[in-house]
Each structure stands twice: as C-alpha cells, then as structure tokens.
Amino acid sequence: MTVTVGRRELLVALGGAVAVWPLAARAQQPAMPVIGWLHSATPAGYAQMMTAAFRQGLSEGGYTEGRNVSIEYRWAENQIDRLPALAADLARHQVSVIAACGSPASALAAKSVTTSIPIIFENGGDPVQLGLVASLSRPGGNVTGATNFSAELVTKRLGLLRELVPSATSVAVLVNPTRPAVDAQLAQLQEAARALGLPLHILKAGNQRDFDAVFLTLVELRASALVIAADALFADRRDQIVDLARRYSVPTIYEVREFVAAGGLMSYGTSLPDVYRQVGSLAGRILKGEKPADLPVTQPTKFELVINLKTAKELGLTIPPGVLAIADEVIE
C-alpha cells in the first residue's frame, strides 16, 4: 500500500525532527569533569597564589576552570578534624579526582573515604612513611601527587641559621603537634641539631591562638634563633608568625619564600607555587585517562635560598658573603 504525504505534513514532520536533534546531541555530550579541591588551610591564605598555580598546571593539559572542567572547593579552615567530613562530601558528589593539599591529613582523609576516585596530594611529608603510596616511583592504588619533602632540608636550614648567628647557644623549633608523622619530623630536627652541637628546644602550636604563648616561651628560654618547621598552618598564618618574630627580634628561618616576602629573615626550600602547578598538571593527566598508580610522585629537584636584607639589618645581623653568594633571591 502506498501512503501519500502532503507537503505540509512533511514539513511538520521534518521540523519536529530538527527540533529534537539538538536535544539529542546535547544529551550525548560527555558531562564536564569535576575536581574536588580539599585543603586543610583557609582560602584567605592560599586562594590567590596556590589555586592560581594549580589552575596553571591544569591549563598545561588543556583544562580551564569553567570552560571544560569545574572545581568544587572545600577548605578545613585549619581545623584538621573537619577534613574527613569534607572528604566524604566530595566522594558523595562523585568528583572525577580529588586534589588533597596542605597538611598530610588532607590526603589521609581523602584516602580513607575512597579507593576508586583518583587522589592527588600536595604536602611536605614523606608519602611512603605516611602510608599514602607504596613507593615514589610506583605509587600503586588510587593515590599519587607532589611532595616537597626532603630530609636534607632540615639540616641545611639549621646550618644556615648557624652561619647567620655563629654565637647561637641554642635553637628552638616550632612544630604543629596535630600534623601526621610529627614525631618523624622532630627526630630529623633533633638529629640535625645534635650534628651541629646545638641544644634544641621544641615549641608546639596546633592553631593560631597558640602563637603568642609560643613566642613568650621562646623569650623565656633565651633561644638564639628559631626554625619554623614545614606545616600548612604555619604557611597559612605566615604574616602573624613573621610579625611575632620581628617583634621579639628572633632570627628565624622558614620553609618557603612567601614568609620572606612577608618580612621574614630567610627561607630555604622548594617553590610552593611550582609544587601546586605540578599537582594541577597531574590532575590534567588523570582527567585524560592516566592512572594514579602509574604516575610517579614528583619530588623537589631545586631548592631556593631567599634572604631579606632589611630584616637582617633590623636584627643587627650581617649576612656572610658566602651565604649571600649562594642566595637565589635577595630582598632589599
């Protein structure tokens, strides 16, 4: 049987098909991937500098926030006990990958809530010792990342302080007692101090409210200098710590350049923005299909010495020519 379709009916049918086609095409497009950002600190301390570096790393892989990737931000505001709930919230949202940054507790919290979502960490701890990965070259599981950990940093920082304050009779170190593996961090510091023949005073601050009392104790101990140990809380509150060190005229060495830019005396360590850029780059590679288990943990290859001459002058210190000669940056 032959069915004759009139011109009007044909146009109506075709119009309906054309109207449905864009909807079907849109339905077939893949959903935009979502990155879960989990950080132990505050957006005020990290948002502009470190998230920008993270996004730069993403862009190297062809990803731009808001265009072909979105980011769900979760900040623990330096309250470590909030991290497990924040990590669980990201897992419930079924994000494509979790970037767990700041304190090692961020990565540990993320790892505790998922074995399937890829996790990329950034922290200053030993990821093998923390149990995050099986090895640096072959992480295994669903976790990889970038570490700025290096055992030689502790010894080098103490040695630089000794050169700046050769008359030092004792040194204090500030650590965060809530930091995972803080005992290992202290053991490295104590070993380095013994090698230099320097008595070491241990000071502890688990939140910003502890800092004033720490510096009062430092004065009572008459410690000649201070080392600020690696920790996301300290980096987040760098302005407060630098102000206290200057107020009490304590020669202090820090983990990263950002402290010295804020008025601190000296830093020796990795470039923190570069580490965050590496995390963004790893996130891009995972979004393209690579597996965390096959991506080696990136490690620091370059350390930078930064000195603030204005602060040295305020403290009445003369920077030895040999130290100035090896400085990567001198702020005047």
Side-chain angles (χ1 to χ4, degrees):
M1 181 176 66
T2 302
V3 178
T4 303
V5 179
R7 184 172 180 272
R8 184 172 182 277
E9 288 82 355
L10 180 62
L11 289 174
V12 170
L14 287 173
V18 170
V20 170
W21 178 80
L23 296 175
R26 282 198 296 271
Q28 291 172 5
Q29 291 176 354
M32 183 183 293
V34 179
I35 296 173
W37 170 275
L38 179 65
H39 206 295
S40 61
T42 66
Y46 276 84
Q48 292 184 346
M49 184 166 42
M50 301 313 160
T51 54
F54 175 77
R55 288 192 291 267
Q56 179 189 346
L58 274 175
S59 69
E60 293 170 2
Y63 291 96
T64 301
E65 183 180 10
R67 182 172 64 84
N68 57 356
V69 69
S70 63
I71 305 177
E72 285 282 334
Y73 294 94
R74 301 289 186 273
W75 301 88
E77 306 278 345
N78 293 316
Q79 299 175 51
I80 300 300
D81 57 353
R82 292 183 58 199
L83 286 167
L86 294 174
D89 181 50
L90 289 173
R92 280 194 299 271
H93 279 74
Q94 297 183 334
V95 295
S96 308
V97 59
I98 296 175
C101 305
S103 169
S106 297
L108 290 171
K111 187 178 181 183
S112 72
V113 298
T114 179
T115 57
S116 57
I117 299 174
I119 298 167
I120 309 164
F121 62 79
E122 172 283 322
N123 65 63
D126 182 339
V128 177
Q129 187 180 62
L130 287 164
L132 291 172
V133 296
S135 73
L136 298 178
S137 59
R138 300 286 294 178
N142 64 319
V143 183
T144 189
T147 178
N148 49 14
F149 168 80
S150 176
E152 70 185 66
L153 287 175
V154 172
T155 303
K156 184 67 174 180
R157 288 180 189 134
L158 278 172
L160 286 165
L161 261 188
R162 186 64 178 269
E163 289 194 61
L164 259 64
V165 192
S167 61
T169 55
S170 66
V171 174
V173 59
L174 178 62
V175 299
N176 183 347
T178 69
R179 178 187 177 87
V182 67
D183 290 340
Q185 189 181 50
L186 279 173
Q188 292 166 2
L189 286 159
Q190 289 166 332
E191 182 180 347
R194 277 195 299 270
L196 292 170
L198 280 172
L200 186 69
H201 303 289
I202 309 298
L203 303 173
K204 299 179 180 180
N207 59 66
Q208 60 265 36
R209 295 184 299 276
D210 295 334
F211 294 144
D212 287 320
V214 160
F215 276 86
L216 288 174
T217 302
L218 183 66
V219 172
E220 292 173 2
L221 292 170
R222 297 187 178 182
S224 305
L226 174 64
V227 178
I228 303 297
D231 191 76
L233 168 66
F234 303 156
D236 192 56
R237 303 296 300 183
R238 57 189 175 275
D239 290 340
Q240 182 182 357
I241 293 172
V242 166
D243 286 346
L244 285 166
R246 294 177 73 175
R247 183 192 309 171
Y248 289 101
S249 300
V250 182
T252 306
I253 189 165
Y254 304 91
E255 172 194 7
V256 289
R257 177 192 182 278
E258 285 68 32
F259 285 91
V260 185
L265 173 62
M266 180 170 55
S267 68
Y268 183 74
T270 56
S271 165
L272 208 50
D274 187 55
V275 175
Y276 275 82
R277 183 192 59 76
Q278 292 171 23
V279 173
S281 178
L282 286 169
R285 293 174 66 180
I286 287 173
L287 290 177
K288 287 185 173 181
E290 294 189 61
K291 304 298 183 186
D294 302 325
L295 292 173
V297 174
T298 64
Q299 302 171 70
T301 56
K302 182 180 182 297
F303 305 112
E304 55 184 17
L305 171 62
V306 184
I307 299 170
N308 190 315
L309 285 183
K310 180 182 177 182
T311 303
K313 185 177 180 181
E314 289 176 358
L315 292 168
L317 295 175
T318 300
I319 308 296
V323 174
L324 276 176
I326 62 172
D328 297 275
E329 182 181 358
V330 176
I331 297 174
E332 300 189 46

